[in-house]
Amino acid sequence: MIILYYLTIPFGIGSKSVAFIIWIMAIADLVCDYYFWATQKEQMLYGIIENIDPTLLDKSIELSSISVILLMLLTHIPVLISSISLFFVGYFFFEASKGEIWTQRNIKTLFIGGILAVITPIVNGMLGSLTSLALSISLPPGERIFVFYLGFSLNAMREIIYGIMILSLALIMKEAKKISDENQQYI
C-alpha cells in the first residue's frame, strides 16, 4: 500500500492540467473538423473525390444532397471517435488529480479510452470504402464505383501503438490493484 501511495504522488501534481490540455485537444479536433466543412465544403469534397478516383474530377458530376451529407458524416466519424477517446483519457487524469488513480472506475475509463484509440485508425481506414459508396449515389448507373480501401499508414500505426500503450497501462493498473487488494486482505 505504501508503494501505491508513492506512485500516486506524481499524478496529483499536474494531472488536472494534463486533463484540461487533452480535453482542449479533443474539442479543437471537433471544432476544426466542423469549421473546415462549414467554410471549405467545396475543397473538402474535391479532396475526397480526388482521393477516391481522380478521373471523376474531369467529369462534371453533380453531387446529390444525400451524397454530400453522407460524405460529411463519414469524415466526422473518426474525428468523433478520437475525440471521445481523448475525453476518456482526460477524465482519467482529472480523476487522478483528485487522488483516485487505483479505482476500478478510473481503470475502466482508461481502458475505454485505449480501445477507442485503437479503433479510430481502423475505422478511418474502412471509411475509404464507404465514402466511395456515398459518392457513387450521385453517379449514373454505368459509372458507379466501389473502392476497397483499408488505409493503413504510418500515422494509423502510430495511433494504434498509442492505444495499445493506454490499454497496457490500464491492464497493468488493474493487476496492480488486484495485488494490492489481495495484500490488504492478508493484513
Side-chain angles (χ1 to χ4, degrees):
M1 188 65 181
I2 293 172
I3 295 172
L4 291 179
Y5 173 75
Y6 285 113
L7 288 174
T8 60
I9 290 174
F11 279 108
I13 296 171
S15 293
K16 196 175 282 189
S17 299
V18 171
F20 287 124
I21 289 169
I22 291 172
W23 286 336
I24 288 170
M25 286 173 41
I27 292 169
D29 278 350
L30 288 171
V31 169
C32 287
D33 193 47
Y34 290 111
Y35 173 78
F36 287 134
W37 270 105
T39 61
Q40 308 288 325
K41 185 172 89 173
E42 295 299 320
Q43 287 84 358
M44 298 287 280
L45 291 171
Y46 179 85
I48 291 171
I49 293 169
E50 183 179 42
N51 197 22
I52 292 172
D53 187 4
T55 60
L56 291 175
L57 295 173
D58 298 334
K59 304 172 185 175
S60 59
I61 58 169
E62 187 70 31
L63 292 177
S64 67
S65 57
I66 292 175
S67 288
V68 173
I69 290 169
L70 285 173
L71 290 170
M72 289 174 67
L73 289 175
L74 288 172
T75 58
H76 286 313
I77 290 172
V79 175
L80 183 63
I81 295 172
S82 175
S83 294
I84 292 171
S85 172
L86 287 172
F87 276 115
F88 275 104
V89 173
Y91 186 73
F92 165 79
F93 281 104
F94 184 75
E95 291 296 313
S97 72
K98 298 189 293 187
E100 296 182 20
I101 297 171
W102 302 99
T103 62
Q104 190 64 32
R105 182 181 70 184
N106 215 19
I107 293 169
K108 188 175 184 179
T109 299
L110 193 60
F111 187 80
I112 292 170
I115 290 287
L116 290 172
V118 169
I119 288 174
T120 301
I122 296 168
V123 168
N124 194 19
M126 292 174 15
L127 287 178
S129 298
L130 294 175
T131 54
S132 72
L133 291 175
L135 183 61
S136 288
I137 291 173
S138 297
L139 297 175
E143 297 180 20
R144 293 191 175 152
I145 57 170
F146 175 72
V147 177
F148 182 72
Y149 181 72
L150 290 177
F152 201 73
S153 65
L154 186 60
N155 194 26
M157 184 63 128
R158 192 175 308 123
E159 289 181 42
I160 290 172
I161 291 171
Y162 161 74
I164 290 171
M165 289 172 50
I166 292 173
L167 284 172
S168 298
L169 179 61
L171 293 174
I172 290 169
M173 290 177 66
K174 181 180 176 182
E175 288 301 313
K177 182 180 180 348
K178 187 167 51 170
I179 291 169
S180 173
D181 291 347
E182 287 174 4
N183 286 342
Q184 282 184 348
Q185 290 177 357
Y186 290 119
I187 296 177

